[in-house]
Every structure is written in structure tokens, then in C-alpha cells.
Amino acid sequence: MNNNYYHIFNYKTINDSVYGNIGLSKIEVELLDTRAMQRLRRIRQMGFSSYVFPDGEHSRFAHSLGVLYIMGRFCDVLYRNNEISLEDVQLLRIAALLHDVGHYPFSHLCETVYSYIDAKNNSILENEPFRTISLLSDLSNHIKRKTVDHEHLGANVIIYDKQINDILKANNIDAELVGKIITGEIGVHNNSIVYAQLMHSSLDADRMDYLLRDSSQAGVVFGSVDFNYIINNIKKVKYQLNNDNNNQYEIIAINSKAQHAVEHFLMARYFHYSQTVLHKTSLAFEAVAKTLLYKMISEEKDEFYISFDNLVKSIGSDKFYHFTDDFMWTKLKAYAEKSEDKLVKILWRTLAERKKPIIILYEKDIVLKRKSKAEKQSINDPDFFLLKWILERHHKEISEKCGIDMEQIGFCTSTVNIESLPSFMKIEECNDLGEESLRDAIKLINKENKVSFLASDTTSLINKMVDYSAVSLVVFVVDPDQKIEKGKIKDVILSMIK
Amino acid sequence: MRSDLITIGVILKELNCFNLDSLSNRIILQKKVFLLQNLGVNLGYQYSWYVHGPYSTELTAMAYECIPLGEEQFTNYNIKENIKERIKKVNDLEKCEARKKVKLDNSAWYELLASYLYWKKQLGTQDKAVEMVQITKPQFSDTDIEAAIQALVDFER
């Protein structure tokens, strides 16, 4: 690597608890000093996971620097091998640094709330359907709309924040393209899939940093993976799909000698998710926070934070730069104190006083993925699915039998996959199922330059696991006075299963 | 049932897309929802360009969750009139006059319509969109593309 390259990206260095020194270019320093980036100091990375893992208090700001570092390392390898240009390196590093610039407060849970609000505001139905499950449960299990996620808000910040936009313009960097790399909207045309893979795939800079940083901060050991070896073995290769005789796609593949390091990374991520991110108590607290936030935001009329569209309009104003965890805490406190709604009071006390929701049931299983064609069927625990089915359809009946307000009972299901692909999906047989896989899935390249999906490589341990998902279901009750009889509710639910 | 599942279930039922059995059915499902969103029905799905044109990963995930529940689960809901009209417009694309001029099966027809519209939104003009369809979808003839443009004139009106 030439001297010039080193100097450009080491204009300044910042100390980091995970990687030591992180080098920054002059443009990156300027971007880091903008109000929009400084806002991220006041948004915690792990949301309510810190109610279970108390040291998980680090910020989105530190994580953004970490993603820049990992992206920088990816770029160093690709640039050294003449696989990407200096302009590509600058663009990718900036996208990495800015990837969370539009993050909502309280980590990802606020994103669900804004998605839920967007769905309500754009309802296709004449009347709101009668809700058969509690708001806690509906919000806990709501699948987020991509179009209002933090990445789309971030793409808007990059275009409408004058400070950021001026810096990018002065350095001839296409703000819209940076936004598209962040949202992942660039698809597979114009060879831009390389950008997309480094920001959005099973092995991207974002996932790598949060695994290393969050597990280290949470005090769990899952994150100790050999990221240096993985990074040093990435390669850009051209690949032509069988059913698409027109285009050659440039894809990122890993030298097959690093296969075991990648497998270790996937396993580490799996354990990190199942044990830390999706911890049953964190999920219950997050459900409480989502419900309280939704109730507050949906009752507001004129505030800048009532919808995604209003937030976009506020970019560039003081209000937006104060849209942080602390701001939302203050708003929630004022709302809860003023509200006469019994549920609001319960939710607020649960959250503010950390009154742990009562876990009634916690079920786990390993199940066969719907899209897989695995010959060996898993022996699924029928009680898991029956429990889910009963909770979805008999929520009210359970609450009546237990004498508890339905809105105090919540359930949350979660799924963790090792890789998104099924084992039968071979890269040479990509059809519609394979489209997203081309970007998301981990590709290996062997000594003979043959490219394959890690998931369909029969010598890989991952190949034996990808057809299965780990699912879990937690049933909880919010009662800050802790007077509710856990055993009675459990008995009612279990009697319905029998 | 969850409210997000109700929304997508009702939409897929009305679009006659309650089937994931074949590649053709999956392509039609993806493209019809894309066309519906382009008529201003905000369902929140992000589309990117993939091998068969605009494609949403999130929509695939939701469809796989919703369709196995059965069509009958989504029958007792009243859809807003303006949404119904737009759904009809998407469904009518397979029987419009322009469609009769080309020999394409339904999945190829919807793939072409959605691909053209995707590029038109991305690039701004008809000429650029046609050029990109010719590059990215060489299987479609100039007659096919002309028919798609004609069908979309009425569709977007």
C-alpha cells in the first residue's frame, strides 16, 4: 500500500476500546464533528439489553467508529490487491461512518414503533380490525417496515443535513449514493453489489463490529472471533449466474482457507443473538418500552417526532439533534405523569423503576425452516407451536380466566438463523430464492477459483445447520407491584394446551 | 392475529397472489405488490434490483409467514374504496388491450411492467428506462417493451 493511502486515512487517530487506534481521513474527521454525528453519542447501542447486561451502555457513536474501522480494513485488503479504487475506499468508509446517522433513540425498538405508526397511518382497511392480542404482543411481534427504518432516515439526513451535505459536496462525494449504500437499495446492477455486500450481508462491517463490541461490553465471550484472518482473506471476484446470461456480477468471496474462521463467526453471532440480544427479560422490557412509546407518540398531534415524515422535515433543526435517549425519557416521564390511563402508569413504573416483567413461560425449539428441503425432518416440540397458536387466538380468554387485563399480558416470538440460505441452494442454481442470497450469503472461493455458497458446501458444519432456525417464545405479565400469581397464569395456559 | 399479517394477507388475497408454489407465482406476487406501491399504496416494502427485476426480501419473508395460514383467514375485512380501485388496476394489467399484443406469460408480463417502472422511477425518463430494460432484460423484444409502456400509461393515469 502506498504512503499516500496511509496518510489519507491516518490524518487523525482515535483510541477505541476494541481495536486500539482507529485512523481517520480529514473528511471523516469533519463528518464526525457534525451535529448529526455527535447526536449518536446520546443514543445507546444496546437499548434495554443494558437492563440485563449492565455494562452494555456504549453509544451508537462508538459503534459507528468501529464500523468505519472494519470497513477500512476490508478496503485496505481490496485496495492492496487492486480490486477497488481510492474513490471506492473513500465512499465505503464514509458510508460506514454515517450508516447509523439516522438512528432512532433506544436502539432498534423505536424503529418498530415508527413502523407500526406508519402502518396505522397508511391502513388499507376501512376500520381498524378488532385487536385479538394485546398491544404489547402486537408491537413485540410486528415486522418492521424497511422504508421507515433508521437507514432510510439516515439517507435523508445525509441529503438534508446542511453540514454533512456541504462536506460531501466539497469533496465530490455523491450524497445520494452514500444513502443508497446505507439503505442497501443499490441491488445488483452496475456492479454495486460489492458495496452492498460490505455493508449488508451475513459478513458485513456492521455485523462484525456489533458482534465484537456488544459482546465485549455485555461481558459475554461469544464475540472472540478471528476477524483479522477473515478480513485478510476477502477477495473480489466476477461471477455469472446461469439463468442470467447478460450480466457478470462482482461479488465478495472469502478464500476457502478461512472457512473455519467464518464458521466460528456465524456460530458466535448465533450465540450472541440467542443469549444477549434476544434475552427473554430484555425482550419483555423492550415490549413495554415500545408500547409506552407508541401510546405517547400516537396521542401527540403537532410534535416533530410523531411520524417518520415529520422527523425528516425536522432534519437540520435543533429539534432533530436533540432526538436522543434522554429526550425520549424526559418526554415519557412527562407523559406518564400526566396520563390517567392505568396501563400507562403500569408501563412507566415497569420501565423507570426496572420492575422486571414476570416471565410466565419461556419455550425454545429448533425447527426446520419453511423454505428448506432437508431430508431429515426435525422432531419439533408440538407444544411450542400449540402455545403460539393459543396465544394468538385466545389472548382474551386467558386474561379473563386469570382475572388480569389483557393489555398487561404480552408474548414475543423470536427466530435466529445461522445463515439465511437453505442448504440445497447452490450458487450455480440461483433462481428467485437465490437473488437476495447473491448479496447476503457468504461465498467461498477455492484454489481452483470455484465460487460456492458456504451454506451449501457439504464440508461445512454450517451446511448441516442452515436448514434449522432457533425459535423462542416468551410469555410475560407486567405488574410493577409483583402481586400477580405466576403459577395461576401458567396453569391456565398449560391447561389450554392439554 | 398480528395487524401486519392482516394487512399483507388481505392485499395478497385481493391481488390473487395467495400462492408461492412456483417461481412464476412468486414473481407475480413480488411485481404486483411493487406496482401497487407505485400507485401510492404504502405497504412499507423496500425494493431493490435483482435477477428478475425489482424484488423485496421483506415481502418474501412476510408472504412465507402469511400464506400458510390460509386465504380464509383474510376474508372478513373491509378494504378502503380507493385501495380497492388501485388493486383492480394492478389486476387489470393482465387483461388490458396492450397485453394482447404480446406473447408473454403472466409472470414475464408483470416482470417487464415492474422492471420498466423501476427504471423509470430511478432514471426519470422513458428513453433511459427503455435503454436499461433492453440492457438488463434482453429477453424482451421492442414490441414487448412498447406494449408495457402503453399499458402503464393508463395504469398510472
Side-chain angles (χ1 to χ4, degrees), chain A residues 360-361 398 401-402 485-498:
Chain A
I360 307 296
L361 282 164
I398 294 167
K401 280 188 178 170
C402 301
E485 284 177 57
K486 178 180 170 174
K488 188 182 169 188
I489 307 168
K490 191 175 175 178
D491 289 347
V492 166
I493 297 172
L494 292 179
S495 70
M496 290 171 91
I497 293 178
K498 282 167 193 159

Side-chain angles (χ1 to χ4, degrees), chain B residues 4 6 12 14 20 24 29 33 42 44 47 49 55 58-59 62 70 73 79-80 88 112 131 142 150 153-154:
Chain B
D4 52 358
I6 293 173
L12 294 182
E14 294 300 316
L20 285 164
S24 298
L29 183 155
V33 173
N42 176 357
Y47 277 81
W49 184 265
Y55 177 86
E58 295 77 34
L59 175 60
M62 283 298 270
Q73 296 281 334
I79 306 170
K80 286 176 182 165
K88 185 173 180 305
L112 172 58
E131 205 181 319
D142 289 348
Q150 211 182 326
V153 168
D154 289 336

Side-chain angles (χ1 to χ4, degrees), chain B residues 59-125:
Chain B
L59 175 60
T60 299
M62 283 298 270
Y64 272 100
E65 192 173 351
C66 157
I67 289 176
L69 297 175
E71 216 169 338
E72 65 284 355
Q73 296 281 334
F74 303 98
T75 43
N76 294 324
Y77 297 100
N78 288 330
I79 306 170
K80 286 176 182 165
E81 272 312 309
N82 63 343
I83 307 283
K84 269 190 205 164
E85 285 164 21
R86 292 174 214 187
I87 290 172
K88 185 173 180 305
K89 272 187 153 187
V90 174
N91 287 336
D92 284 351
L93 282 168
E94 60 204 69
K95 47 191 178 205
C96 67
E97 282 305 308
R99 167 81 177 88
K100 292 171 190 161
K101 293 177 193 162
V102 294
K103 286 178 185 161
L104 295 173
D105 64 28
N106 257 348
S107 70
W109 175 241
Y110 276 108
E111 180 176 334
L112 172 58
L113 291 167
S115 299
Y116 171 79
L117 204 55
Y118 178 88
W119 289 123
K120 180 129 180 276
K121 298 271 172 197
Q122 291 280 318
L123 305 169
T125 68

Side-chain angles (χ1 to χ4, degrees), chain A residues 318-369:
Chain A
D318 276 354
K319 287 174 185 169
F320 185 76
Y321 304 115
H322 296 302
F323 186 53
T324 60
D325 288 1
D326 290 345
F327 173 85
M328 284 313 234
W329 268 118
T330 312
K331 286 282 170 192
L332 283 176
K333 181 173 183 287
Y335 167 70
E337 281 174 355
K338 212 172 103 185
S339 176
E340 288 173 9
D341 183 336
K342 188 184 149 211
L343 182 66
V344 168
K345 301 275 188 204
I346 289 174
L347 296 173
W348 170 248
R349 278 193 62 206
T350 301
L351 215 55
E353 297 171 27
R354 199 202 173 276
K355 295 288 186 187
K356 193 178 156 192
I358 302 160
I359 307 293
I360 307 296
L361 282 164
Y362 180 54
E363 297 289 328
K364 293 191 290 185
D365 201 2
I366 302 281
V367 301
L368 195 67
K369 277 185 195 164

Side-chain angles (χ1 to χ4, degrees), chain A residues 29-234:
Chain A
V29 173
E30 288 173 11
L31 288 169
L32 207 57
D33 287 340
T34 58
R35 291 186 75 187
M37 279 303 292
Q38 291 298 316
R39 185 182 73 98
L40 301 184
R41 286 185 186 274
R42 301 187 301 279
I43 295 176
R44 285 177 308 154
Q45 164 81 353
M46 292 180 70
F48 284 91
S49 291
S50 64
Y51 269 27
V52 179
F53 302 96
D55 263 354
E57 292 274 352
H58 55 296
S59 68
R60 287 272 152 195
F61 183 82
H63 165 63
S64 299
L65 278 168
V67 178
L68 166 75
Y69 174 80
I70 296 284
M71 183 62 89
R73 293 288 314 279
F74 277 142
C75 289
D76 293 348
V77 174
L78 296 169
Y79 181 75
R80 195 169 53 219
N81 296 333
N82 291 320
E83 289 170 349
I84 57 173
S85 67
L86 187 61
E87 288 72 29
D88 287 332
V89 176
Q90 280 172 327
L91 188 65
L92 282 164
R93 287 179 58 111
I94 286 171
L97 182 64
L98 297 177
H99 83 285
D100 268 352
V101 74
H103 221 287
Y104 295 90
F106 296 140
S107 193
H108 288 281
L109 73 91
C110 232
E111 214 167 36
T112 305
V113 176
Y114 281 91
S115 168
Y116 197 79
I117 289 169
D118 191 60
K120 295 273 166 207
N121 290 346
N122 293 287
S123 175
I124 58 158
L125 302 174
E126 284 290 358
N127 308 305
E128 274 297 300
F130 179 70
R131 199 155 34 76
T132 54
I133 56 176
S134 66
L135 191 56
L136 274 171
S137 306
D138 205 21
L139 271 157
S140 292
N141 298 290
H142 174 79
I143 305 290
K144 283 186 279 191
R145 294 176 154 217
K146 280 290 285 177
T147 48
V148 295
D149 65 10
H150 73 278
E151 289 153 338
H152 283 80
L153 190 54
N156 279 289
V157 172
I158 290 163
I159 290 168
Y160 298 119
D161 179 278
K162 196 171 178 311
Q163 274 186 307
I164 289 182
N165 205 271
D166 284 352
I167 295 166
L168 297 180
K169 243 185 218 162
N171 292 282
N172 293 320
I173 290 162
D174 182 347
E176 209 169 311
L177 182 55
V178 174
K180 283 187 174 176
I181 295 172
I182 291 172
T183 58
E185 275 172 283
I186 48 181
V188 295
H189 63 287
N190 295 338
N191 297 328
S192 54
I193 189 171
V194 168
Y195 299 157
Q197 283 173 101
L198 295 172
M199 264 326 285
H200 297 275
S201 67
S202 288
L203 200 64
D204 64 26
D206 190 12
R207 286 173 199 222
M208 218 176 248
D209 180 72
Y210 75 62
L211 174 64
L212 294 163
R213 187 174 302 277
D214 296 2
S215 58
S216 149
Q217 289 289 136
V220 295
V221 295
F222 309 124
S224 304
V225 296
D226 195 353
F227 74 95
N228 280 312
Y229 194 63
I230 297 172
I231 291 172
N232 287 332
N233 277 290
I234 65 162

